[in-house]
Amino acid sequence: MKFVTSILNRRAVMALAAASMLAGVMHSAPVSAADVTIPIIVKDTTSFYWQIVLAGARKAGKDLGVNVPELGAQAETDVNGQISILENAVAGNPAAVVISPTEFKALGKPIDEAAAKVKVIGIDSGADSKAFTSFLTTDNVQGGRVAADGLAAAIGAANGGKVEGKVALITALPGAGSLEQRAQGFKEQLKAKYPGLELVADKYADGQATTGLNIATDLITANPDLKGIFASNLIMAQGVGQAIAENNLAGKVGLIGFDSDEKLIKFLNDGVISGLVVQDPYRMGYDGIKTALAASKGEKVEANVDTGANLVTKANMKEPKIDALLNPKLN
């Protein structure tokens, strides 16, 4: 009996030892990158600009072996929708979250709450929060200055070198951090460098191209001597470009847009648009995921990263660097 008991005891000890070793192996095994999920939340999944951001994030996910859910509302105006998407994403316990806030004030508290649970990386637009681990964006104030310089050059070229006359600013939506900064830079540059240019209209739209078209048409009608317009995002540039084309004002009213797609590139080729301030959304998406992964591992990351802005004109659009920005790989 003692012999049988001794055998059973030895078997129990061996089983416990094996279980202990297995547990130790399981505990010490590193989590593979494929087990890491980092959602990216953009303002609008339907816009070409945000599709470029998502393409960059997707490529980073493939290169780094990270799961990257591509999330976002159907329109930049859906602020509450983005807040819900952020809350649901955080509830899934991801390694980190990458987000471009739709509205500066409204997203502040939700981002604070999210950052209490997970690392949050901001891209493109800011929010009323100091909880971002890292923030990757265009220097939008500088982007506005670049737009002012581009518009001044276009007006000078169309008017025998004279940089003077009435100009207008059309902003897609009120309260969006990046758009407010572009407007700030544009107005500051006009005041500092171009005293001959008079800002006669500073208009807000509702995020729709048709509204941009209507605002621009009204401005042209009310100011037949208008010399130029800065449309501070892609959608507004589409609408204002349409107004310039329909009124046969290509080359007469200068237009600087922000960002690019096929329609705006055609407008640029046709002389409807004088120039485009083009960001690097692909880099924002790619480096956003890369930075989020590093932050999730406890690695030190830069608090602020400027991803750059370039003025694209018909004269330089074929240069390799500019062509890569205008024709990014979406797969």
Side-chain angles (χ1 to χ4, degrees), residues 240-265:
V240 178
Q242 193 65 36
I244 298 290
E246 289 180 0
N247 287 277
N248 298 312
L249 292 173
K252 298 176 184 177
V253 175
L255 171 58
I256 300 295
F258 218 99
D259 299 324
S260 68
D261 66 359
E262 287 185 8
K263 185 170 186 177
L264 296 191
I265 292 171

Side-chain angles (χ1 to χ4, degrees), residues 6 11 22 29 31 84 98 103 116 125 154 185 202 208 222 248 267 275 297:
S6 178
R11 287 178 177 173
L22 181 60
V31 177
S84 295
V98 178
E103 206 277 333
S125 295
D202 183 359
Q208 303 299 315
N248 298 312
F267 277 155
K297 295 176 178 178

Side-chain angles (χ1 to χ4, degrees), residues 78-88 102 106-107 110:
D78 189 3
V79 177
N80 289 332
Q82 192 187 53
I83 292 172
S84 295
I85 290 168
L86 173 60
E87 291 171 346
N88 290 335
T102 54
L107 268 293

Side-chain angles (χ1 to χ4, degrees), residues 138-170:
T138 303
D139 181 341
N140 282 293
V141 175
Q142 176 61 18
R145 295 189 190 108
V146 170
D149 290 340
L151 189 59
I155 292 170
N159 294 276
K162 294 180 180 179
V163 183
E164 57 187 33
K166 297 177 179 179
V167 298
L169 166 64
I170 302 178

Side-chain angles (χ1 to χ4, degrees), residues 46-122:
T46 67
S47 162
F48 182 69
Y49 175 84
W50 295 111
Q51 288 172 13
I52 298 172
V53 172
L54 292 176
R58 191 180 312 129
K59 182 63 165 60
K62 290 178 181 177
D63 288 351
L64 301 171
V66 175
N67 298 316
V68 182
E70 299 173 14
L71 309 175
Q74 295 296 298
E76 293 194 20
T77 52
D78 189 3
V79 177
N80 289 332
Q82 192 187 53
I83 292 172
S84 295
I85 290 168
L86 173 60
E87 291 171 346
N88 290 335
V90 172
N93 297 314
V97 171
V98 178
I99 185 170
S100 177
T102 54
E103 206 277 333
F104 184 81
K105 288 288 185 184
L107 268 293
K109 185 177 179 182
I111 286 172
D112 285 342
E113 292 173 349
K117 302 173 183 176
V118 67
K119 301 286 187 182
V120 178
I121 307 300

